Amino acid sequence: MNLLIVEDEPNVVSVISRGLTGEGFSVSVAPDGLIGAQMAKNNSFDLIILDIMLPGINGLELCKIIKNEKPDVPIIMLTALGTTENIVTGLDNGADDYIVKPFKFEELFARIRMLLRRYSGIVNSDQIINIADLYINVTAKTVKRNDVEIILTATEYRLLEFMAKNKSKILSRIDILESVWDIDFNLGTNVVDVYVNYLRKKIDKPSDQKLIHTVVGLGYVLKDK
Ligand code: CA
């Protein structure tokens, strides 16, 4: 994953790039808006982090320019100015998310992972996920198991779709919480256990083959073997 940071404050750059490099990302840095515009244009980045107060072109303007040329690159705005007006302008100019300085790296990193997931979650053309005798119609948001339609609540459906799209991958409670409930750390992770149990009752209980498995100490996995 290639990320671009457009930011003129060396301290902020160093915190973000050290953190992201440690997580295995490759990080490019532009110290002003003009260089940032040039780099965004000439390279393909998976995500761009933009400061608002920048020399050259400001971050709001730069966001508009990048989104015009490359609408499918997710952008997070960094702002020291936590005023509603700034945030609204940023989002109007196409930013996908924003974070107010000072922030913790973990908080930024959670936003980055969520955006990357959202942008990579674009479904394939037939829009059906099939695992064993489970069929999820992603377009219609309907679920069948062994040819019987299963009625799920919206949250149960999002949870099932997320687990199915990540078939055979162990998902931590935090991964699930962030993807299914967006970011709301106040919910607590036991809400995940509660909903996994709801899903189990509907998806697995009527069937001999269990698809949802608990991985002790790690989380949950949906798999057919
Ligand atoms: Ca700045």
Side-chain angles (χ1 to χ4, degrees):
M1 289 281 174
N2 290 312
L3 272 65
L4 172 65
I5 305 169
V6 189
E7 166 66 271
D8 60 321
E9 288 161 60
N11 289 343
V12 180
V13 169
S14 121
V15 168
I16 303 177
S17 55
R18 207 181 322 126
L20 287 174
T21 309
E23 296 291 344
F25 290 91
S26 128
V27 177
S28 307
V29 178
D32 73 49
L34 289 166
I35 296 172
Q38 212 57 42
M39 286 173 79
K41 193 177 176 176
N42 297 332
N43 300 277
S44 83
F45 291 105
D46 297 292
L47 186 141
I48 297 176
I49 298 167
L50 286 183
D51 185 32
I52 290 186
M53 304 290 275
L54 286 168
I57 309 170
N58 79 52
L60 296 170
E61 205 47 47
L62 183 52
C63 180
K64 203 153 83 182
I65 294 168
I66 296 171
K67 280 288 183 177
N68 270 334
E69 284 176 5
K70 300 184 172 179
D72 53 349
V73 178
I75 293 180
I76 298 177
M77 308 288 307
L78 295 181
T79 172
L81 318 150
T83 67
T84 318
E85 196 180 280
N86 266 292
I87 291 163
V88 169
T89 313
L91 298 175
D92 279 351
N93 285 357
D96 296 276
D97 205 349
Y98 65 89
I99 196 160
V100 178
K101 294 180 194 169
F103 55 86
K104 289 201 175 104
F105 174 74
E106 287 71 26
E107 197 184 342
L108 173 67
F109 187 51
R111 306 284 181 99
I112 290 172
R113 280 181 304 174
M114 193 180 70
L115 270 184
L116 289 175
R117 239 182 253 141
R118 193 192 295 162
Y119 273 75
S120 67
I122 296 160
V123 290
N124 55 24
S125 58
D126 62 348
Q127 309 200 321
I128 300 276
I129 302 172
N130 169 226
I131 298 164
D133 57 355
L134 175 73
Y135 286 83
I136 304 169
N137 184 324
V138 177
T139 319
K141 305 207 182 301
T142 55
V143 177
K144 276 185 179 181
R145 180 121 200 230
N146 193 22
D147 265 343
V148 179
E149 181 153 5
I150 297 168
I151 307 296
L152 298 179
T153 66
T155 305
E156 289 164 356
Y157 175 82
R158 282 202 304 276
L159 174 61
L160 179 65
E161 187 185 300
F162 175 64
M163 293 183 81
K165 279 181 176 166
N166 291 284
K167 185 190 149 190
S168 303
K169 265 189 230 161
I170 297 171
L171 302 167
S172 74
R173 288 171 177 80
I174 297 292
D175 289 336
I176 295 174
L177 198 59
E178 281 173 16
S179 299
V180 178
W181 280 268
D182 261 12
I183 290 190
D184 191 343
F185 293 109
N186 299 328
L187 276 170
T189 49
N190 70 328
V191 72
V192 172
D193 302 311
V194 169
Y195 272 84
V196 168
N197 275 329
Y198 290 160
L199 255 195
R200 274 193 164 133
K201 281 192 186 126
K202 293 184 177 180
I203 300 294
D204 274 347
K205 211 177 170 200
S207 179
D208 289 338
Q209 188 188 7
K210 306 302 175 205
L211 298 177
I212 299 169
H213 303 266
T214 304
V215 186
V216 176
L218 293 176
Y220 294 101
V221 59
L222 193 153
K223 59 179 183 178
D224 54 0
K225 280 180 207 93

